[in-house]
């Protein structure tokens, strides 16, 4: 296949800068630049786009983003050992890559990028979920990002896109699908990474809706959904008993049978229930 740029292969970059993968930082690197270009394409047309990349590591995905035409990439990396490799990429794409050494959980991209920007990341699983929840729950909507293209453990990716009636359906599906379109763009076997993680991974692509899919107060919706799924085997009239003395009537008003379980209830009905409780 054609090289995506004139920089050295990633194995050489890793050897040159001594970037042995650190487990504590969740380092599982992607070394195939055709694959990183494919992930960059999953983020949509990047021509002229501003991109926030979290956890660039040795820069495989960063190179994919720049080669795909991103106007500007802001890359936030916690591991200082990666900075010289990233500086080489910045030099090959003058004025287009800014690298910040730091924890993505502490950085406000708006200090560096003009919204709306796209977010692309291959991150450790725990940081990825925490960031996803933050990105989906900003103070106001629409958010500063237009899309999120994120690598997760496959099981987590399936929870994000899950539909009612499935075991994977829960708070994460509701949170994600209430304010975004979410789909799995590609799945990757463990061997796609160096070193390989224990389980398969998947890239989820979310695009922000201009406004939430159905009206509801975010705090009330979150409270209802948290209670409903904390006791997901219970009928909703029992699981939600503490929310209102007349919870059965409110469930019926929202079109939900009080004997249903959370797993069966579509997003639209949870929003209707949140409205009756607001
Ligand atoms: N994007 C690279 C790739 O695809 O090969 C590296 C992926 S590796 C799974 C995760 C990267 O995120 C590592 O480089 C790690 O140092 C970095 N990282 C871990 N926690 C981070 C955090 N809180 N903020 C920023 N970067 C972090």
């Amino acid at each position: 296949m054609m090289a995506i740029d004139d920089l050295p292969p990633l194995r050489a970059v890793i050897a040159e800068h001594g970037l042995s993968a650190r487990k504590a930082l969740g380092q599982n690197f992607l070394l195939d630049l055709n694959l990183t270009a494919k992930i960059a394409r999953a983020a949509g047309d990047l021509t002229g786009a501003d991109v926030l990349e979290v956890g660039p590591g040795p820069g495989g995905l960063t190179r994919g983003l720049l080669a795909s035409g991103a106007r500007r990439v802001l890359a936030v990396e916690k591991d200082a050992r990666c900075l010289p490799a990233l500086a080489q990429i910045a030099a090959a794409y003058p004025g287009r890559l800014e690298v910040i050494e730091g924890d993505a959980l502490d950085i406000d991209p708006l200090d560096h990028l003009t919204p709306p920007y796209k977010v692309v990341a291959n991150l450790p699983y725990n940081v990825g979920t925490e960031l996803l929840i933050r990105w989906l729950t900003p103070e106001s909507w629409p958010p500063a990002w237009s899309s999120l293209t994120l690598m997760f453990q496959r099981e987590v990716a399936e929870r994000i896109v899950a539909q009612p009636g499935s075991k994977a359906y829960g708070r994460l599906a509701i949170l994600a699908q209430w304010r975004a379109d979410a789909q799995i763009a590609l799945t990757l076997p463990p061997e796609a990474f160096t070193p390989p993680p224990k389980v398969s991974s998947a890239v989820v692509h979310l695009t922000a809706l201009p406004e939430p899919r159905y009206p509801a107060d975010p705090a009330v919706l979150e409270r209802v959904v948290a209670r409903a799924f904390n006791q997901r085997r219970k009928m909703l009239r029992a699981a939600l008993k503490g929310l209102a003395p007349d919870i059965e009537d409110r469930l019926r008003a929202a079109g939900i049978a009080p004997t249903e379980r959370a797993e069966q209830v579509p997003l639209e009905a949870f929003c209707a229930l949140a409205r009756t409780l607001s």
Side-chain angles (χ1 to χ4, degrees):
M1 283 209 217
M2 248 176 58
I4 68 162
D5 57 34
D6 298 330
L7 289 155
L10 284 158
R11 277 187 202 286
V13 172
I14 285 174
E16 183 188 342
H17 300 286
L19 300 178
S20 52
R22 294 216 171 127
K23 216 174 172 175
L25 285 166
Q27 291 182 335
N28 302 96
F29 299 135
L30 292 166
L31 302 190
D32 176 352
L33 288 163
N34 288 297
L35 181 57
T36 63
K38 194 167 164 186
I39 296 169
R41 283 196 297 276
D45 184 7
L46 292 180
T47 321
D50 281 11
V51 179
L52 166 66
E53 189 196 353
V54 188
L61 185 53
T62 320
R63 287 163 64 174
L65 294 166
L66 290 161
S68 305
R71 188 183 80 92
R72 230 170 87 70
V73 176
L74 173 71
V76 183
E77 173 57 59
K78 202 170 170 181
D79 184 356
R81 294 179 310 155
C82 298
L83 300 185
L86 296 166
Q88 280 177 349
I89 305 173
Y93 291 94
R96 291 173 59 197
L97 173 61
E98 182 185 350
V99 180
I100 299 180
E101 180 193 347
D103 188 327
L105 294 164
D106 299 333
I107 277 156
D108 184 356
L110 287 177
D111 292 339
H112 307 265
L113 290 176
T114 320
Y117 50 82
K118 287 170 174 279
V119 180
V120 183
N122 172 22
L123 263 178
Y125 148 67
N126 56 335
V127 185
T129 313
E130 183 167 352
L131 282 170
L132 172 67
I133 290 170
R134 282 199 200 178
W135 284 320
L136 289 168
T137 52
E139 271 170 27
S140 64
W141 200 266
W145 52 271
S146 57
S147 69
L148 309 172
T149 308
L150 309 171
M151 184 84 71
F152 289 101
Q153 289 185 352
R154 189 171 178 177
E155 174 266 327
V156 177
E158 279 165 1
R159 285 204 273 131
I160 296 169
V161 305
Q163 295 298 309
S166 68
K167 278 223 166 61
Y169 183 63
R171 289 172 74 179
L172 207 50
I174 289 182
L175 187 61
Q177 297 170 35
W178 183 43
R179 304 212 256 206
D181 282 326
Q183 62 198 46
I184 293 184
L186 63 154
T187 53
L188 299 172
E191 311 79 70
F193 301 85
T194 305
K198 287 206 175 67
V199 294
S200 294
S201 301
V203 175
V204 182
H205 181 66
L206 301 110
T207 43
L209 297 171
E211 52 190 275
R213 209 175 289 278
Y214 310 105
D217 179 282
V220 179
L221 180 62
E222 168 56 22
R223 199 156 58 236
V224 169
V225 169
R227 286 213 184 204
F229 284 99
N230 271 346
Q231 308 189 52
R232 59 191 294 147
R233 275 191 203 89
K234 281 199 178 168
M235 292 179 190
L236 285 168
R237 67 175 175 214
L240 300 181
K241 205 164 58 188
L243 280 182
D246 55 349
I247 192 66
E248 292 207 20
D249 293 341
R250 291 178 195 250
L251 281 162
R252 281 192 207 94
I256 304 169
T259 50
E260 274 192 89
R261 289 164 175 88
E263 211 167 283
Q264 252 66 49
V265 177
L267 168 61
E268 186 173 8
F270 273 120
C271 293
L273 179 59
R275 290 197 300 275
T276 76
L277 289 162
S278 289

Short mmCIF file of all heavy atoms in Angstrom, two decimals, residues 10 22 24-31 36 39 53-62 76-79 82 102-105 121-124 127 131 151 193, ligand 1:
data_model
loop_
_atom_site.label_atom_id
_atom_site.label_comp_id
_atom_site.label_asym_id
_atom_site.label_seq_id
_atom_site.Cartn_x
_atom_site.Cartn_y
_atom_site.Cartn_z
N LEU A 10 6.43 3.53 12.05
CA LEU A 10 6.24 3.68 13.50
C LEU A 10 7.16 2.78 14.33
O LEU A 10 7.58 3.16 15.41
CB LEU A 10 4.77 3.45 13.85
CG LEU A 10 3.89 4.65 13.49
CD1 LEU A 10 2.45 4.23 13.34
CD2 LEU A 10 4.02 5.76 14.53
N ARG A 22 3.86 1.39 28.22
CA ARG A 22 3.63 1.35 29.67
C ARG A 22 2.19 1.00 29.97
O ARG A 22 1.26 1.70 29.52
CB ARG A 22 3.93 2.72 30.28
CG ARG A 22 5.40 3.07 30.17
CD ARG A 22 5.89 3.84 31.37
NE ARG A 22 7.35 3.93 31.27
CZ ARG A 22 8.04 5.06 31.34
NH1 ARG A 22 7.42 6.20 31.55
NH2 ARG A 22 9.35 5.05 31.23
N ALA A 24 0.57 1.17 32.80
CA ALA A 24 -0.11 2.13 33.68
C ALA A 24 -0.76 3.26 32.87
O ALA A 24 -1.72 3.87 33.32
CB ALA A 24 0.87 2.70 34.68
N LEU A 25 -0.22 3.53 31.68
CA LEU A 25 -0.79 4.60 30.84
C LEU A 25 -1.72 4.03 29.78
O LEU A 25 -2.14 4.73 28.87
CB LEU A 25 0.34 5.41 30.18
CG LEU A 25 1.09 6.36 31.11
CD1 LEU A 25 2.37 6.85 30.45
CD2 LEU A 25 0.21 7.55 31.48
N GLY A 26 -2.02 2.74 29.87
CA GLY A 26 -2.92 2.10 28.91
C GLY A 26 -2.35 2.14 27.49
O GLY A 26 -3.08 2.34 26.53
N GLN A 27 -1.05 1.94 27.39
CA GLN A 27 -0.44 2.10 26.06
C GLN A 27 -0.52 0.82 25.22
O GLN A 27 0.17 -0.17 25.48
CB GLN A 27 1.01 2.58 26.22
CG GLN A 27 1.04 4.01 26.75
CD GLN A 27 2.43 4.57 26.90
OE1 GLN A 27 3.39 3.83 27.06
NE2 GLN A 27 2.54 5.89 26.88
N ASN A 28 -1.40 0.83 24.24
CA ASN A 28 -1.48 -0.20 23.21
C ASN A 28 -1.45 0.57 21.91
O ASN A 28 -2.42 1.23 21.56
CB ASN A 28 -2.78 -1.01 23.33
CG ASN A 28 -2.91 -1.67 24.70
OD1 ASN A 28 -3.57 -1.13 25.59
ND2 ASN A 28 -2.28 -2.80 24.87
N PHE A 29 -0.32 0.52 21.23
CA PHE A 29 -0.13 1.41 20.08
C PHE A 29 -0.63 0.78 18.77
O PHE A 29 -0.58 -0.44 18.59
CB PHE A 29 1.36 1.75 19.94
CG PHE A 29 1.93 2.47 21.13
CD1 PHE A 29 3.16 2.09 21.68
CD2 PHE A 29 1.25 3.54 21.71
CE1 PHE A 29 3.69 2.75 22.78
CE2 PHE A 29 1.78 4.22 22.81
CZ PHE A 29 3.00 3.81 23.34
N LEU A 30 -1.05 1.65 17.88
CA LEU A 30 -1.41 1.24 16.51
C LEU A 30 -0.20 1.56 15.63
O LEU A 30 0.23 2.71 15.57
CB LEU A 30 -2.61 2.04 16.02
CG LEU A 30 -3.94 1.76 16.72
CD1 LEU A 30 -4.95 2.84 16.38
CD2 LEU A 30 -4.48 0.39 16.30
N LEU A 31 0.34 0.54 14.97
CA LEU A 31 1.56 0.76 14.19
C LEU A 31 1.32 0.73 12.69
O LEU A 31 2.21 1.03 11.91
CB LEU A 31 2.62 -0.29 14.56
CG LEU A 31 3.01 -0.34 16.04
CD1 LEU A 31 4.22 -1.24 16.25
CD2 LEU A 31 3.31 1.06 16.58
N THR A 36 -4.51 3.48 10.77
CA THR A 36 -4.78 4.77 11.43
C THR A 36 -5.43 5.75 10.44
O THR A 36 -6.29 6.54 10.82
CB THR A 36 -3.51 5.39 12.05
OG1 THR A 36 -2.57 5.68 11.03
CG2 THR A 36 -2.91 4.49 13.11
N ILE A 39 -9.06 4.88 10.47
CA ILE A 39 -9.74 5.43 11.65
C ILE A 39 -9.98 6.93 11.46
O ILE A 39 -11.06 7.45 11.79
CB ILE A 39 -8.92 5.15 12.93
CG1 ILE A 39 -8.84 3.64 13.16
CG2 ILE A 39 -9.55 5.84 14.15
CD1 ILE A 39 -7.86 3.21 14.23
N GLU A 53 -7.01 15.57 19.36
CA GLU A 53 -6.64 14.16 19.54
C GLU A 53 -6.13 13.97 20.97
O GLU A 53 -5.25 14.68 21.42
CB GLU A 53 -5.54 13.72 18.57
CG GLU A 53 -5.38 12.20 18.67
CD GLU A 53 -4.11 11.62 18.09
OE1 GLU A 53 -3.32 12.32 17.45
OE2 GLU A 53 -3.90 10.42 18.32
N VAL A 54 -6.72 12.99 21.65
CA VAL A 54 -6.29 12.72 23.02
C VAL A 54 -5.42 11.47 23.01
O VAL A 54 -5.79 10.46 22.43
CB VAL A 54 -7.53 12.53 23.93
CG1 VAL A 54 -7.09 12.44 25.37
CG2 VAL A 54 -8.50 13.67 23.76
N GLY A 55 -4.25 11.55 23.63
CA GLY A 55 -3.35 10.40 23.74
C GLY A 55 -2.73 10.00 22.41
O GLY A 55 -2.90 8.87 21.95
N PRO A 56 -1.96 10.88 21.77
CA PRO A 56 -1.38 10.54 20.46
C PRO A 56 -0.27 9.49 20.54
O PRO A 56 0.01 8.83 19.53
CB PRO A 56 -0.80 11.88 19.97
CG PRO A 56 -0.56 12.67 21.22
CD PRO A 56 -1.65 12.27 22.18
N GLY A 57 0.37 9.32 21.71
CA GLY A 57 1.44 8.32 21.81
C GLY A 57 2.53 8.59 20.78
O GLY A 57 2.95 9.73 20.59
N PRO A 58 2.98 7.56 20.06
CA PRO A 58 4.03 7.77 19.05
C PRO A 58 3.51 8.47 17.79
O PRO A 58 4.30 8.81 16.91
CB PRO A 58 4.52 6.37 18.72
CG PRO A 58 3.57 5.43 19.33
CD PRO A 58 2.63 6.15 20.24
N GLY A 59 2.19 8.66 17.68
CA GLY A 59 1.67 9.53 16.62
C GLY A 59 1.08 8.86 15.39
O GLY A 59 0.87 9.51 14.37
N GLY A 60 0.80 7.56 15.47
CA GLY A 60 0.23 6.87 14.30
C GLY A 60 -1.08 7.48 13.84
O GLY A 60 -1.28 7.78 12.66
N LEU A 61 -1.98 7.69 14.81
CA LEU A 61 -3.29 8.26 14.45
C LEU A 61 -3.15 9.74 14.09
O LEU A 61 -3.82 10.24 13.17
CB LEU A 61 -4.26 8.05 15.62
CG LEU A 61 -5.71 8.46 15.43
CD1 LEU A 61 -6.31 7.83 14.18
CD2 LEU A 61 -6.54 8.05 16.66
N THR A 62 -2.24 10.43 14.76
CA THR A 62 -1.97 11.84 14.46
C THR A 62 -1.58 11.98 12.98
O THR A 62 -2.07 12.88 12.28
CB THR A 62 -0.80 12.34 15.34
OG1 THR A 62 -0.94 11.81 16.64
CG2 THR A 62 -0.77 13.87 15.39
N VAL A 76 -3.08 16.05 22.89
CA VAL A 76 -2.79 16.12 24.33
C VAL A 76 -2.25 14.77 24.78
O VAL A 76 -2.95 13.76 24.70
CB VAL A 76 -4.06 16.46 25.13
CG1 VAL A 76 -3.72 16.60 26.61
CG2 VAL A 76 -4.72 17.73 24.61
N GLU A 77 -1.00 14.75 25.25
CA GLU A 77 -0.36 13.48 25.63
C GLU A 77 0.25 13.60 27.03
O GLU A 77 0.95 14.56 27.33
CB GLU A 77 0.71 13.12 24.59
CG GLU A 77 1.57 11.91 24.94
CD GLU A 77 0.78 10.64 25.20
OE1 GLU A 77 0.05 10.19 24.30
OE2 GLU A 77 0.88 10.10 26.33
N LYS A 78 -0.02 12.58 27.84
CA LYS A 78 0.44 12.58 29.23
C LYS A 78 1.90 12.12 29.34
O LYS A 78 2.59 12.50 30.27
CB LYS A 78 -0.46 11.61 30.00
CG LYS A 78 -0.50 11.82 31.47
CD LYS A 78 -1.61 10.94 32.04
CE LYS A 78 -1.55 10.91 33.54
NZ LYS A 78 -2.61 10.05 34.09
N ASP A 79 2.34 11.30 28.41
CA ASP A 79 3.66 10.68 28.51
C ASP A 79 4.71 11.53 27.79
O ASP A 79 4.79 11.55 26.56
CB ASP A 79 3.59 9.28 27.90
CG ASP A 79 4.89 8.51 28.04
OD1 ASP A 79 5.88 9.09 28.55
OD2 ASP A 79 4.92 7.33 27.65
N CYS A 82 6.88 10.70 24.65
CA CYS A 82 6.37 10.73 23.27
C CYS A 82 6.62 12.07 22.57
O CYS A 82 6.47 12.17 21.35
CB CYS A 82 4.87 10.44 23.26
SG CYS A 82 4.45 8.83 23.91
N GLY A 102 0.24 16.80 28.94
CA GLY A 102 -0.64 16.94 30.09
C GLY A 102 -1.71 15.87 30.10
O GLY A 102 -1.75 14.99 29.24
N ASP A 103 -2.57 15.97 31.12
CA ASP A 103 -3.67 15.03 31.29
C ASP A 103 -4.90 15.60 30.58
O ASP A 103 -5.31 16.73 30.88
CB ASP A 103 -3.93 14.86 32.79
CG ASP A 103 -4.93 13.75 33.06
OD1 ASP A 103 -5.84 13.55 32.24
OD2 ASP A 103 -4.79 13.09 34.11
N ALA A 104 -5.46 14.82 29.68
CA ALA A 104 -6.62 15.30 28.91
C ALA A 104 -7.78 15.68 29.82
O ALA A 104 -8.60 16.51 29.46
CB ALA A 104 -7.06 14.22 27.93
N LEU A 105 -7.80 15.11 31.03
CA LEU A 105 -8.91 15.41 31.94
C LEU A 105 -8.77 16.82 32.53
O LEU A 105 -9.73 17.37 33.06
CB LEU A 105 -8.96 14.37 33.07
CG LEU A 105 -9.32 12.95 32.61
CD1 LEU A 105 -8.98 11.93 33.69
CD2 LEU A 105 -10.80 12.85 32.24
N ALA A 121 -9.75 9.86 19.17
CA ALA A 121 -8.83 9.35 20.19
C ALA A 121 -8.80 7.84 20.26
O ALA A 121 -9.83 7.18 20.12
CB ALA A 121 -9.21 9.91 21.56
N ASN A 122 -7.60 7.34 20.50
CA ASN A 122 -7.41 5.95 20.91
C ASN A 122 -6.81 6.04 22.30
O ASN A 122 -5.63 6.27 22.46
CB ASN A 122 -6.45 5.25 19.94
CG ASN A 122 -6.06 3.86 20.43
OD1 ASN A 122 -6.76 3.26 21.24
ND2 ASN A 122 -4.93 3.35 19.95
N LEU A 123 -7.68 5.92 23.28
CA LEU A 123 -7.33 6.21 24.67
C LEU A 123 -7.44 4.99 25.55
O LEU A 123 -8.15 4.05 25.21
CB LEU A 123 -8.35 7.20 25.22
CG LEU A 123 -7.97 8.65 25.21
CD1 LEU A 123 -9.13 9.44 25.76
CD2 LEU A 123 -6.76 8.88 26.09
N PRO A 124 -6.79 5.00 26.73
CA PRO A 124 -7.08 3.92 27.68
C PRO A 124 -8.57 3.94 27.98
O PRO A 124 -9.19 5.01 28.07
CB PRO A 124 -6.29 4.31 28.92
CG PRO A 124 -5.36 5.38 28.52
CD PRO A 124 -5.87 5.99 27.27
N VAL A 127 -10.13 6.23 30.91
CA VAL A 127 -10.11 7.67 30.60
C VAL A 127 -11.12 7.97 29.49
O VAL A 127 -11.82 8.98 29.51
CB VAL A 127 -8.69 8.10 30.15
CG1 VAL A 127 -8.64 9.61 29.94
CG2 VAL A 127 -7.63 7.67 31.14
N LEU A 131 -14.09 10.67 29.75
CA LEU A 131 -14.15 11.81 28.82
C LEU A 131 -15.45 11.79 28.01
O LEU A 131 -16.07 12.83 27.80
CB LEU A 131 -12.95 11.80 27.88
CG LEU A 131 -11.64 12.31 28.48
CD1 LEU A 131 -10.47 12.02 27.55
CD2 LEU A 131 -11.71 13.81 28.75
N MET A 151 -11.94 5.12 20.27
CA MET A 151 -11.69 3.68 20.42
C MET A 151 -12.10 3.24 21.81
O MET A 151 -11.75 3.89 22.80
CB MET A 151 -10.19 3.44 20.23
CG MET A 151 -9.79 1.99 20.27
SD MET A 151 -9.99 1.21 18.67
CE MET A 151 -8.66 1.98 17.75
N PHE A 193 -3.02 -4.10 17.76
CA PHE A 193 -2.28 -3.21 18.65
C PHE A 193 -0.96 -3.84 19.10
O PHE A 193 -0.83 -5.05 19.13
CB PHE A 193 -3.11 -2.93 19.91
CG PHE A 193 -4.45 -2.30 19.63
CD1 PHE A 193 -5.55 -3.08 19.32
CD2 PHE A 193 -4.60 -0.93 19.68
CE1 PHE A 193 -6.78 -2.51 19.06
CE2 PHE A 193 -5.83 -0.34 19.44
CZ PHE A 193 -6.93 -1.14 19.11
N1 LIG B 1 -2.97 7.14 19.82
C1 LIG B 1 -1.84 6.23 19.94
C2 LIG B 1 -2.03 5.06 19.02
O1 LIG B 1 -3.17 4.89 18.56
O2 LIG B 1 -1.08 4.32 18.78
C3 LIG B 1 -1.63 5.76 21.40
C4 LIG B 1 -2.81 4.98 21.96
S1 LIG B 1 -2.57 4.35 23.59
C5 LIG B 1 -3.97 3.26 23.67
C6 LIG B 1 -3.15 5.63 24.69
C7 LIG B 1 -2.31 6.88 24.77
O3 LIG B 1 -2.95 7.80 25.68
C8 LIG B 1 -0.92 6.67 25.33
O4 LIG B 1 0.01 7.36 24.53
C9 LIG B 1 -0.97 7.26 26.74
O5 LIG B 1 0.27 7.75 27.18
C10 LIG B 1 -1.99 8.36 26.56
N2 LIG B 1 -2.72 8.73 27.78
C11 LIG B 1 -3.11 7.92 28.79
N3 LIG B 1 -3.82 8.61 29.70
C12 LIG B 1 -3.89 9.89 29.25
C13 LIG B 1 -4.48 11.09 29.75
N4 LIG B 1 -5.15 11.09 30.89
N5 LIG B 1 -4.35 12.22 29.02
C14 LIG B 1 -3.66 12.22 27.85
N6 LIG B 1 -3.08 11.12 27.35
C15 LIG B 1 -3.19 9.97 28.02
#
